[in-house]
Amino acid sequence: MTSEQLKLLAETVQQLSLARDIETVMHIVRTAARNLTGADGATFILKDNDLCYYADEDTISPLWKGQRFPMSACVSGWVMLNKQAAIIPDIYNDARIPVEAYRPTFVKSLAMVPIRTIEPIGAIGNYWANQHIPSAEELQLLQSLADITSVSIENVYVYNELEDRVRKRTKELESANAELETFSYSVSHDLRAPLRQIITRMEMMKEDFKGNQFDEVKAVQGVEKIIARANGMNKLIDSLLNFSKSGRQAMEIIPLNIKQMVEQVFAELQEHGKDRNILFEIEEIPNATGDAVLIKQVWTNLLSNAIKYTALNPAAKIKVGYEAGENGNAYYVEDNGIGFDMAYYNKMFGMFQRLHDTSTFDGNGIGLALTQRILHRHGGEIWATGELDKGAKFSFTLPQ
């Protein structure tokens, strides 16, 4: 091994240590493979299931870059299957060579080594335009390069995984900060509002009953209003706790019978509104995987909203189905209720955002935010379409 070869190998190691993607690794390796042995061409092959993918090359004329061949039909496949190098001084005199594939090329001799001898993940090939018997030294250089390449590829995967984790964590932190800001607003506004009303009502009762001028009817009405405001605040606090818990609790991912779950949720919701005659339709919908408790909460939120916002329609209709959507195949809940103005769509899934008057439709603006959080944790998405007085449609994706 000459000093020039050692220097080139050392430089290659340094370059590979800085590589952050497979394309860069391949470019460095194919160039080094050719220069280390003085070959007329070098290829970089990756194992793609049962195929050999000729991912990159550095040659005096084109070979097979971008093509895939069965493992059993090419030398690189033989090298990976047998976990050892192949030295072929004469391509026309070796049974492992598919001669017709090589005949149009410049190749007369070749050497091929596996990238990692334990469970190979690819191969590096050198080609010569004239008959050449690769020396033991050349083969050693090529195998050393392949071993270094194996480590570099693993480093790229680890680096990319870490980067992906950092991106996800950053996104989670940004979301948490946004939720914290919204929560602060809620504490100062949504929770204070019922407290102010309770205090005001108590002051009014105090003035009314000064001097023992007690009016039982007015007292009962006042107390009932105070209790209603306090219960509303209690519900809001419970919703906040549920929202917080939904982002921290561990998920148990299991197969889910979605149609059965939907039927059960709707039946439970109808127990509280038997006086209403709602036409409920459910199509044949596929199953999915997910956390049973959390996904049931998704259906509960969406169906309860559909029931609530169709209250003013004497011919209320709710439909659950499955169809191809812009974000992929999706479940949907569609109703013919009050709908919403798409101009305010950007507020739809925000915390404490309400698109309708709370005096007509109760709610604390947390349900859809909770639904979105649950679906995002499952790798799904949610979106909606609607029109005022013409109904709404909520669609969402889940892993099948």
Side-chain angles (χ1 to χ4, degrees), residues 380-393:
E381 294 290 338
I382 183 169
W383 62 96
T385 54
E387 189 175 349
L388 277 177
D389 300 320
K390 292 188 178 180
K393 181 178 181 180

Side-chain angles (χ1 to χ4, degrees), residues 275-286:
D275 56 324
R276 291 188 58 196
N277 184 23
I278 300 174
L279 177 60
F280 180 63
E281 179 183 344
I282 178 169
E283 297 179 345
E284 288 299 322
I285 54 179

Side-chain angles (χ1 to χ4, degrees), residues 97-114:
I97 292 290
V99 175
E100 293 307 314
Y102 276 78
R103 198 178 299 279
T105 72
F106 67 87
V107 180
K108 296 294 186 293
S109 303
L110 68 85
M112 188 84 65
V113 296

Side-chain angles (χ1 to χ4, degrees), residues 106 124 229 396:
F106 67 87
I124 297 172
R229 297 301 181 188
F396 65 91

